Amino acid sequence: MDLYSFFNSSASYRVRIALALKEVPFDYIPVNIRTGVHREAQYVERINASASVPALVDGELALGQSLAIIDYLDAHYPEPRLVPVGTMQRARVLELSYLIACDIHPVNNMRILKYLDTVLHVRPDQKEAWYKHWIDEGMSAVERMLAQHRDGPWCFGDTPTLADCCLVPQMANAQRMGCEIGRYPLSLAVYRHAMAHPAFDAAQPNRQPDFVGT
Amino acid sequence: MDLYSFFNSSASYRVRIALALKEVPFDYIPVNIRTGVHREAQYVERINASASVPALVDGELALGQSLAIIDYLDAHYPEPRLVPVGTMQRARVLELSYLIACDIHPVNNMRILKYLDTVLHVRPDQKEAWYKHWIDEGMSAVERMLAQHRDGPWCFGDTPTLADCCLVPQMANAQRMGCEIGRYPLSLAVYRHAMAHPAFDAAQPNRQPDFVGT
């Protein structure tokens, strides 16, 4: 099984956590999204039509989109289960995961910040305000969800789920970009709990073979 | 069952299609996101922590995030099934759905366009270029996925799936915003096929009780 990944990509980080939790062996194939490898014809036509990272290649299957990959892994390597089967817990896990994957991460990822810079020529302080605005909008919503439904050390329950696979990279990213993550105390408690777990530690950007500092 | 919806919201439109396909009766509760009803305390604290539309209230459950809602509906009203159970078909359906829900829709929705306008003060032509740029990036990826895996009149297979629930509102939105959707012939074929189906027709913005023109 091959994982196409970039060390600093939050979406890649989600899948690395899932693979580590499930203890699935894989080969790490670095894709440097800073130099545009994810947009090269060979990659887009054969590995990942989304022209992004991550992508998983398992035999005949080449699959992009981190949450689709984790769903696939959950079917093939069900222990530990990351998307719960029970309806109510499942709904809460998916709701928080989609909040991060659809409402927070996409508006602050590399391609958007680059467009603000190189096409719209916004000032650095405007770009920083953009980033922090969407983090604050989204993380405030995460806090509301956790305040209503959290009942253990993880986002939901006594074991890590897809919600934790999404929250941890988002918190790491916010911290790296200079956001005050102490404003989100419930998320911070989950983040600290997770980072003490060996699977979450192994999936960190600075543990990856293509890590090159900032 | 109550659906909190705004007629012009793509994410609401996805859930309306799912409800119509499954023929689930529901009460339509309009939430005017143009006047900020989705950000009022009562809504955010009791109905939808995401401070967005849609939200579904079914007995004790109040749930936001369109894809979490459709997953819940698929569990409770399995006919027709919108996320296939078989692994390969399921992976393709989720991959395309997430491409739209995570890579395309979030960067062009109302709150982003409003921020470009009111905070960054970009010119109208710059805002239009932003919209069209991300549509073209994303829809080109949709076309690659359909070219590789489409094998019927819908995105994947002989029946509508979650992928169609995501693609149709995205195409309608792109058309409304003046994009040349003929550039995406495979998506256009799916769109035309879908719009001839009564469930997709019933879910259209102009069929909703809160429709007020443009």
Side-chain angles (χ1 to χ4, degrees), chain A residues 49 62 64 71 90 95 103 111, chain B residues 64 71 90 95 103 111 144:
Chain A
D71 183 272
R90 180 181 179 88
E95 183 187 38
D103 288 2
R111 65 187 187 139
Chain B
D71 183 272
R90 179 180 181 89
E95 183 187 37
D103 289 1
R111 65 186 187 139
R144 285 192 291 269

Side-chain angles (χ1 to χ4, degrees), chain A residues 139 142-143 146-147 150-157 163-164 167-168 171-172 175 180-197 200:
Chain A
M139 290 306 303
V142 170
E143 288 291 295
L146 294 177
R150 186 171 176 240
D151 57 357
W154 300 93
C155 285
F156 304 108
D164 304 286
L167 182 62
V168 164
M171 285 290 278
Q175 188 170 41
E180 295 171 35
I181 60 174
R183 293 166 58 95
Y184 318 113
L186 300 176
S187 302
L188 186 57
V190 173
Y191 181 54
R192 286 182 172 151
H193 183 75
M195 293 318 293
H197 187 295
F200 285 80

